[in-house]
Amino acid sequence: MIFKDRYYAGSKLAEKLSKYRNTKSVVLAIPRGGLEVGFVISKKLGLPLDIILTKKIGHPFNKEYAIGAVSIHGKIITDNSVPEEYIKKETKRLRDLLKKMYKTYIGKSQPLDLKDKNVIITDDGIATGSTILAAINIVKKNKPKKVIIAIPVSHTDAIEKIKDESDDIVCLKVDSGLAAIGQYYENFEQVSDEESIRLLWEANKNLNKDS
């Protein structure tokens, strides 16, 4: 399955998530690619959209290979063979970036209240699962009713990694041969900060974020 773009992938996910339309649910997108997917889910289901910020921690000798992920408030390490000093430095560097990103996207707005809500976490794809696991970890600290993962495409191993950590997974394409998320999209252009901010505003302009 090849998706025309992230918006198209989001529309296909929204069809599978129709039972959450106009319910006590929220959509959390992982920027920046996940925002285009999450925007469509949010609009089609009548749900508020917010972001959840995580960054993968790359291996010191191969930055594309994730050894874990970091959020503003926590981290997950999946490869314990890497020196602790490297992990500490990368965690601080990435956390500083995340704090700056959050201020850029959200400004002075308050995050969505997730308690007792169905929380739909989305991104444009999952390669290793480290980033989405970090996102799940953050969400669970807010005592949601359910955690739903909505993803256009994922590596088989990543699905196995997250299936016991979520209440439901909606994934349109699971592939054991996944090498890069972009190979499943005709258009996989990078999403700018400006576009990300616009999508957040557009999704929520007619919604009460605490609903």
Side-chain angles (χ1 to χ4, degrees), residues 5-203:
D5 54 24
R6 296 182 184 93
Y7 293 113
Y8 177 79
S11 69
K12 290 300 179 183
L13 283 170
E15 292 174 6
K16 301 287 187 181
L17 295 162
S18 59
K19 65 182 178 182
Y20 297 107
R21 180 177 286 110
N22 297 321
T23 61
K24 197 176 180 182
S25 306
V26 301
V27 180
L28 294 186
I30 298 175
R32 286 174 288 193
L35 266 169
E36 291 188 336
V37 179
F39 173 78
V40 179
I41 296 172
S42 166
K43 294 294 281 186
K44 286 187 175 291
L45 301 186
L47 303 176
L49 174 67
D50 206 343
I51 58 172
I52 184 160
L53 293 176
T54 64
K55 284 276 190 185
K56 72 178 180 183
I57 302 174
H59 192 280
F61 301 121
N62 180 4
K63 295 296 185 182
E64 289 302 308
Y65 176 73
I67 60 167
V70 62
S71 70
I72 291 175
H73 301 295
K75 70 175 183 289
I76 291 174
I77 302 299
T78 56
D79 185 340
N80 293 314
S81 67
V82 177
E84 182 64 26
E85 187 61 28
Y86 170 81
I87 292 173
K88 284 182 179 179
K89 286 183 178 179
E90 279 297 280
T91 297
K92 183 182 184 307
R93 182 182 72 83
L94 293 171
R95 191 164 283 155
D96 288 344
L97 283 175
L98 291 175
K99 288 177 180 177
K100 185 177 179 181
M101 284 176 66
Y102 193 84
K103 186 175 181 180
T104 297
Y105 292 160
I106 301 299
K108 295 181 179 179
S109 298
Q110 293 298 309
L112 290 173
D113 179 12
L114 306 182
K115 187 176 180 181
D116 298 325
K117 304 280 181 65
N118 300 311
V119 179
I120 301 169
I121 303 174
T122 192
D123 201 353
D124 52 17
I126 306 177
T128 67
S130 295
T131 299
I132 209 85
L133 271 177
I136 293 170
N137 181 262
I138 297 166
V139 168
K140 283 186 172 180
K141 290 180 180 179
N142 291 274
K143 300 180 179 178
K145 181 180 179 181
K146 291 175 66 176
V147 176
I148 303 101
I149 307 302
I151 297 291
V153 60
S154 174
H155 194 287
T156 308
D157 292 346
I159 292 292
E160 287 297 311
K161 189 183 293 185
I162 67 173
K163 68 179 183 180
D164 293 332
E165 301 299 324
S166 56
D167 297 293
D168 191 14
I169 298 175
V170 177
C171 184
L172 303 176
K173 173 71 175 178
V174 180
D175 189 352
S176 60
L178 185 150
I181 302 299
Q183 74 189 71
Y184 297 89
Y185 290 86
E186 292 177 11
N187 181 345
F188 198 65
E189 292 182 4
Q190 188 174 21
V191 182
S192 68
D193 285 339
E194 292 76 15
E195 178 66 2
S196 298
I197 294 166
R198 185 192 72 79
L199 290 173
L200 278 167
W201 181 84
E202 181 70 25

